Amino acid sequence: MSRSQPAIIVHGGAVSRHSYSLSAWRASVEDAARAGWAVLEKSGGTALDAVEAAIRSMESNPVCNAGIGSCLTSDGRVEMDAIIMNGSNLDVGAVACVNSVENPVTLARKVMEKTDHVLLVGEGANQFAAAEQTGIPTVSKETLITEQRKSELEKFRQFRKAVKADFNVQIDGGGHDTVGAVALDSSGNLAAGTSTGGITGKLPGRVGDVPIVGCGVYADNSIGAASTTGHGESIAKVTLARQALWFVEAGRSPDEAAKDALDGMLSRVRGRGGIIIISKDARIGFNCSTDDMAWAYCNAREGLKSGTNCHSSK
Ligand code: ASP
């Protein structure tokens, strides 16, 4: 079997005007990239395990809009979406509108590995989480809610009229710091995952792009893998993750593919966001069409790199 150069890249969301500390945000993605890299460095460490470890780290960090610290629905509740995809066989598992676990990405992985389905939603997904076969600890809804997200919801309510989508009109509403990870392991397997609380003030029951295959993630060992962030309704309309990988398949570099897919989304549906990509030959790329996106990546050649400005050259 041929050996690959392992690599991991993570994002902590693409935002327009960040409402809290850039350093805490950057630290959250650095911690996640380290957690994923620790898996890949071990002999036999898999891309799937690395993606799950990286996303769990951000879900458990209240700075990020996923797991603890998820942004809130219009009626002040948490409803989380998550997905994970295995590039070796295109297996995928996802959950939507869940509110009973700290780490929805792990629940998504259980859907992939322990059911015949791709996506479980709402009460069914919460019941599955509580089932013994998953072995996942459940948490009370309140433990997922932070003061920061409560105040963002308040702000959102005050500015409701102006908020079509923060990505388009650049209002400081917060709550878009969705998280994602993409990894390549030494066996040449790719995986990608994304996890989110969605967008502040969303209607109860709203499901965004994240748990939809080809939108929030795509992973295929024969091309590459991608995770996206940004205005979910826009991302879903252009199947952003798959679109970016089509560009990689057509010969563009991961950086170019990310930029071209985002430019297309902006011109076609006026949506903004960000993408991280690893190609099957271990090239790393990312871009965003918002003001900022927290990113961090790690490979043996460059070590850990990170930033919150995706427009500067790496
Ligand atoms: N894409 C997410 C959603 O719309 C939000 C984000 O990426 O921050 O649910």
Side-chain angles (χ1 to χ4, degrees):
M1 188 193 292
S2 68
R3 309 299 294 169
S4 287
Q5 292 297 322
I8 181 153
I9 180 164
V10 308
H11 69 73
V15 301
S16 294
R17 285 194 225 164
H18 208 263
S19 52
Y20 45 77
S21 156
L22 281 181
S23 60
W25 194 34
R26 184 167 178 171
S28 72
V29 289
E30 288 180 346
D31 286 349
R34 278 191 207 101
W37 183 248
V39 172
L40 292 174
E41 261 189 328
K42 278 191 278 188
S43 139
T46 68
L48 263 183
D49 285 345
V51 162
E52 184 182 353
I55 292 180
R56 284 178 65 93
S57 154
M58 294 184 280
E59 287 173 334
S60 296
N61 186 334
V63 165
C64 305
N65 171 21
I68 296 176
S70 284
C71 67
L72 304 177
T73 58
S74 56
D75 58 356
R77 292 178 302 110
V78 164
E79 291 183 349
M80 303 172 291
D81 303 338
I83 188 165
I84 192 161
M85 184 161 185
N86 181 348
S88 69
N89 54 10
L90 308 189
D91 271 358
V92 62
V95 291
C97 282
V98 293
N99 61 11
S100 63
V101 295
E102 181 174 324
N103 298 111
V105 71
T106 297
L107 188 58
R109 185 163 176 184
K110 297 288 181 193
V111 171
M112 177 171 83
E113 291 175 346
K114 298 213 178 277
T115 78
D116 297 329
H117 308 306
V118 160
L119 171 63
L120 292 182
V121 307
E123 262 332 287
N126 285 324
Q127 276 166 21
F128 176 65
E132 214 175 305
Q133 63 181 138
T134 67
I136 297 178
T138 53
V139 297
S140 75
K141 297 172 191 146
E142 291 66 38
T143 59
L144 302 169
I145 297 179
T146 61
E147 289 307 313
Q148 165 79 24
R149 298 302 179 192
K150 282 189 196 165
S151 81
E152 281 173 10
L153 179 61
E154 216 22 71
K155 225 191 262 178
F156 172 87
R157 285 175 173 149
Q158 286 161 20
F159 289 99
R160 177 182 293 275
K161 281 203 191 104
V163 178
K164 162 92 162 70
D166 305 36
F167 296 97
N168 299 336
V169 286
Q170 310 252 318
I171 288 163
D172 180 13
H176 298 102
D177 336 61
T178 286
V179 306
V182 172
L184 172 69
D185 63 32
S186 59
S187 304
N189 288 318
L190 284 152
T194 308
S195 181
T196 188
I199 53 176
T200 301
K202 65 184 181 179
L203 286 178
R206 177 263 193 188
V207 175
D209 61 299
V210 167
I212 305 174
V213 184
C215 300
V217 299
Y218 205 75
D220 183 341
N221 279 7
S222 67
I223 311 166
S227 166
T228 66
T229 171
H231 183 236
E233 283 68 11
S234 302
I235 292 172
K237 288 174 191 168
V238 300
T239 57
L240 189 66
R242 190 65 185 90
Q243 179 63 57
L245 292 184
W246 268 314
F247 287 141
V248 173
E249 215 171 351
R252 287 175 226 189
S253 73
D255 274 336
E256 289 163 352
K259 181 167 189 330
D260 290 350
L262 289 165
D263 285 351
M265 183 166 82
L266 188 56
S267 67
R268 196 75 176 85
V269 296
R270 291 191 59 241
R272 293 178 188 274
I275 312 179
I276 54 173
I277 300 176
I278 301 180
S279 60
K280 66 176 181 183
D281 55 0
R283 286 172 300 152
I284 293 172
F286 59 90
N287 208 288
C288 69
S289 50
T290 51
D291 293 339
D292 299 309
M293 178 173 80
W295 56 268
Y297 71 86
C298 198
N299 59 21
R301 192 166 53 85
E302 294 171 275
L304 179 70
K305 301 264 191 239
S306 69
T308 54
N309 182 339
C310 48
H311 307 289
S312 59
S313 70
K314 292 185 294 187

